[in-house]
Amino acid sequence: MKHRAYFYAIDVIMFVDGLNKRDFSTEVISKQLLRSATSIGANIVEAQAGASRKDFANFFSYALKSANETKFWLGLLRDTKKAEKEKAEKILKETQEIANILGSSIITLRKKS
């Protein structure tokens, strides 16, 4: 999961770097997207360093929240046509898959507690 989130963050960085940030809204949204998307992987790494199962679940919850926020920013860029639809859809799909894995992991961890 850590490696998948790392390469996902690289994809998002490349996506953001490819945006035309001439207008203010694209610049602001792209910064928000970059923060939320890279936060997913950072929280997964923190989860693995957690002292307890509860810490692990909490950091996965933060990662899931970041994934949900990322979907919001990507949707805005796609629907305002500030990003290429196909590229945004590809990243949205991967974001959803990561969110699903995180959600399932959180449910499993909480059942075991």
Side-chain angles (χ1 to χ4, degrees):
M1 188 68 196
K2 179 173 67 173
H3 295 291
R4 185 172 183 173
Y6 181 83
F7 290 109
Y8 166 78
I10 290 172
D11 288 343
V12 172
I13 291 167
M14 301 301 284
F15 173 78
V16 167
D17 285 349
L19 293 173
N20 182 353
K21 294 182 238 25
R22 284 188 224 162
D23 60 76
F24 183 71
S25 60
T26 305
E27 185 176 332
V28 170
I29 294 168
S30 65
K31 286 178 182 180
Q32 291 293 110
L33 169 61
L34 195 56
R35 285 183 188 102
S36 63
T38 56
S39 177
I40 298 167
N43 280 298
I44 290 170
V45 169
E46 284 293 321
Q48 292 177 336
S52 66
R53 187 182 303 262
K54 185 177 179 183
D55 276 351
F56 193 87
N58 284 338
F59 280 110
F60 263 40
S61 293
Y62 301 144
L64 178 58
K65 288 179 182 185
S66 292
N68 289 330
E69 181 182 347
T70 299
K71 290 187 284 185
F72 177 79
W73 300 124
L74 283 165
L76 283 178
L77 288 170
R78 178 199 60 204
D79 295 342
T80 57
K81 300 185 180 17
K82 295 179 184 289
E84 290 180 40
K85 184 177 181 178
E86 297 78 26
K87 288 181 181 179
E89 290 289 340
K90 181 181 177 209
I91 294 176
L92 267 166
K93 182 177 184 245
E94 179 65 5
T95 308
Q96 186 60 56
E97 288 179 15
I98 289 171
N100 290 344
I101 293 167
L102 289 167
S104 295
S105 297
I106 293 164
I107 290 168
T108 301
L109 286 165
R110 292 198 173 139
K111 283 182 182 176
K112 290 182 180 181
S113 293

